[in-house]
Amino acid sequence: NVFVSEGNLVLRAVREDYAGTRDGCTDPDLFWCTKGAPFRSGRVDAQPAYALNRGRVEVRARVPDQVLTWPAIWMIPVKNLYGPWPRSGEIDISEV
């Protein structure tokens, strides 16, 4: 669901019933450890991780305007000092 086309990074949502456990979760009883959705998309992680202390982040994105989707662009911490997401926080660049 994640690929490069004509020099653009594409994350495509595919209609697919999906249920699973989030990465890094050890307790499936915690609400953020389980996930289920009628769509499946993708995630991009910079490896090696890039840490930004100062500066600017610029993103150009086209997002779907369909129901049942929640397009979002986040910055996630390099180090999970307080545990896996969402305990260590996030910075929302865009949530539509």
Side-chain angles (χ1 to χ4, degrees):
N1 302 348
V2 180
F3 56 93
V4 175
S5 175
E6 298 179 13
N8 295 308
L9 177 63
V10 178
L11 283 78
R12 179 167 291 152
V14 176
R15 190 161 186 78
E16 170 186 302
D17 287 332
Y18 177 76
T21 303
R22 295 190 189 280
D23 296 336
C25 284
T26 56
D27 186 353
D29 294 330
L30 297 175
F31 77 93
W32 61 79
C33 280
T34 58
K35 58 184 175 181
F39 289 92
R40 189 168 187 177
S41 183
R43 176 179 176 156
V44 177
D45 290 319
Q47 294 298 328
Y50 177 76
L52 177 70
N53 291 326
R54 291 183 177 83
R56 179 174 128 173
V57 174
E58 185 173 328
V59 176
R60 292 186 324 157
R62 286 188 291 171
V63 296
D65 60 353
Q66 300 167 339
V67 297
L68 300 176
T69 62
W70 191 316
I73 300 169
W74 297 338
M75 292 193 322
I76 305 292
V78 173
K79 296 179 182 176
N80 289 326
L81 297 177
Y82 304 105
W85 183 90
R87 290 182 178 167
S88 290
E90 70 194 26
I91 296 175
D92 296 350
I93 294 174
S94 173
E95 285 192 3
V96 180

